[in-house]
Amino acid sequence: MPLKRLEISKFTAFESLEVQFSPGINVIIGPNSTGKSHLMKLAYALHRALEVGQVEDLGLRLEGLFRPDSLGRLVRRALGRRTAKVHAEFDEGALTFKLSSLGKMTPELSRHTEPQKAVFLPSRELLAMYEGFIQAYENRELSFDETYFDGCKALSGVALRGPRGAQAASLAEPIYEALGGRVVLAGNRFYVQQADGQLEAHLLSEGLRKIGSLAHLIANGSLRENGVLFWDEPEANLNPQLVSQVVDFLLALARRDVQIVLSTHDHLLTRRLSLVAQYPHEQPVGMRFISLFRGEVGSSVEEANLLSELEHNPILDEFARFYEDEQAAAAEDLERTLEEK
């Protein structure tokens, strides 16, 4: 049940927006404050409402993910009362909701839709945060949005056993190799089981903890075939070598029918994914590049199957600007050297 299309009207940063999604990998880019995380959280909220079979509680889900003062504040600001509308189309169904600026929510499931397991990885890693977080979140008012709570709950599952466990372990194996060991949950704390013993997850670098979270979610069945992975800034705290490995992990998941939606500011990550899209191998992966940019009213969108087909690419624009500055600085230095001679 991959997400195929989202129509958004007057919701947070979006006055009017329509986005098409690939069943494979979807890469969202754009400057800050154009709504990348908002787009992902909205899609995740719809998936979770369908997954738990509680569409009527969609408003509570949106409040937990966006953390507004009140639900009606998610309606795009303007004079007078307004109503936001969101329409999501999946392979086998559709979900629509209207939200008034007074906070009245009216969701409607217009066709039968099979639930699909969705996992959201926020930009900050979860393994070191996990210890005691679920209990603290349930018993206190923490400032973290619900993606962190959902992520920790998904991590709490133990590794699968039997045939399903073997299948999950084979998918997670490349990540274990990058980590140098397997992720294990002992009590309320995560460790990495290495050849010379267990290492506390807290002692790993943050980048390795991020991919360790991904490995454990695969191993315990939270992220599985025909599921959905939302990942906000996977490149954060990763060195370039690990970014390249993350691309390999994402491709392996997509080839197991996991729909992936990620947001990024990283040049290497986007270029490597676009390279795969431009020169596909025997197992091609569907790819969609989604660029958000500031329009005349709210954020606008541009979409393409290749990164090079986008006109609005702030990542590439900034690298090009740096190259021009570098060339200009070198030319000025050469000119000063020649004048001194």
Side-chain angles (χ1 to χ4, degrees):
M1 188 197 64
L3 177 63
K4 295 174 63 177
R5 186 166 68 94
L6 261 181
E7 292 182 43
I8 307 171
S9 173
K10 299 177 178 59
F11 186 83
T12 66
F14 311 115
E15 179 67 23
S16 180
L17 201 74
E18 180 178 340
V19 185
Q20 306 284 340
F21 290 88
S22 165
I25 300 177
N26 300 273
V27 183
I28 305 173
I29 64 172
N32 291 332
S33 298
T34 51
K36 297 184 298 299
S37 295
H38 282 203
L39 183 60
M40 292 177 62
K41 287 181 179 180
L42 174 59
Y44 174 67
L46 297 170
H47 272 287
R48 287 288 291 156
L50 293 171
E51 180 188 333
V52 300
Q54 296 176 336
V55 174
E56 65 278 6
D57 291 337
L58 180 57
L60 294 175
R61 172 65 56 178
L62 292 172
E63 284 186 300
L65 291 171
F66 287 91
R67 302 296 295 261
D69 287 345
S70 62
L71 184 60
R73 290 184 62 78
L74 295 179
V75 178
R76 182 167 172 78
R77 307 286 190 271
L79 294 175
R81 296 177 181 177
R82 306 189 95 194
T83 299
K85 181 179 179 181
V86 173
H87 176 73
E89 291 188 4
F90 303 86
D91 265 356
E92 301 176 4
L95 176 59
T96 303
F97 74 81
K98 292 181 180 180
L99 172 63
S100 76
S101 55
L102 297 178
K104 183 180 179 180
M105 165 75 78
T106 54
E108 178 183 351
L109 186 61
S110 58
R111 297 195 302 275
H112 176 67
T113 304
E114 292 295 330
Q116 189 175 28
K117 181 70 174 178
V119 171
F120 194 113
L121 283 177
S123 57
R124 294 172 61 179
E125 65 84 26
L126 297 174
L127 285 191
M129 182 185 295
Y130 177 83
E131 188 172 3
F133 185 86
I134 295 175
Q135 295 84 351
Y137 198 93
E138 290 176 331
N139 297 322
R140 296 178 178 84
E141 189 70 26
L142 298 183
S143 60
F144 293 93
D145 68 62
E146 210 164 276
T147 61
Y148 291 89
F149 178 65
D150 287 351
C152 285
K153 286 184 69 175
L155 284 169
S156 66
V158 297
L160 296 173
R161 297 182 179 181
R164 287 184 61 203
Q167 186 180 40
S170 68
L171 185 56
E173 191 60 40
I175 308 178
Y176 290 146
E177 291 179 6
L179 283 172
R182 294 179 177 271
V183 177
V184 295
L185 177 60
N188 202 24
R189 174 174 280 208
F190 277 99
Y191 298 84
V192 175
Q193 183 67 56
Q194 299 176 323
D196 55 352
Q198 286 188 347
L199 178 67
E200 297 89 331
H202 299 68
L203 300 181
L204 288 173
S205 69
E206 187 166 352
L208 288 177
R209 293 200 299 268
K210 290 190 74 169
I211 64 172
S213 297
L214 180 62
H216 190 68
L217 290 170
I218 295 170
N220 72 10
S222 294
L223 183 58
R224 54 180 181 260
E225 292 182 4
N226 300 311
V228 186
L229 171 63
F230 294 92
W231 199 351
D232 198 3
E233 297 184 14
E235 76 280 359
N237 299 302
L238 296 184
N239 65 45
Q241 183 181 8
L242 273 178
V243 168
S244 297
Q245 288 179 300
V246 164
V247 170
D248 293 336
F249 304 154
L250 294 174
L251 292 171
L253 287 171
R255 290 180 178 126
R256 296 287 187 95
D257 297 322
V258 175
Q259 185 180 34
I260 297 166
V261 183
L262 62 89
S263 70
T264 180
H265 295 282
D266 191 72
H267 183 64
L268 179 60
L269 179 65
T270 54
R271 290 297 295 271
R272 281 205 169 274
L273 286 171
S274 187
L275 187 67
V276 173
Q278 190 166 2
Y279 303 103
H281 297 286
E282 294 179 2
Q283 289 182 281
V285 172
M287 205 84 67
R288 193 75 170 160
F289 293 90
I290 301 165
S291 176
L292 298 178
F293 59 96
R294 294 183 182 89
E296 293 183 5
V297 181
S299 293
S300 297
V301 66
E302 180 190 10
E303 302 170 83
N305 293 326
L306 295 176
L307 191 66
S308 58
E309 296 174 349
L310 292 176
E311 291 185 12
H312 298 85
N313 186 341
I315 302 172
L316 184 59
D317 291 345
E318 195 56 38
F319 270 86
R321 187 176 297 111
F322 172 77
Y323 176 78
E324 292 171 358
D325 291 345
E326 187 179 41
Q327 295 300 305
E332 290 176 5
D333 184 67
L334 177 60
E335 184 177 352
R336 283 196 299 269
T337 301
L338 293 175
E339 288 176 353
E340 291 173 358
K341 291 183 177 181

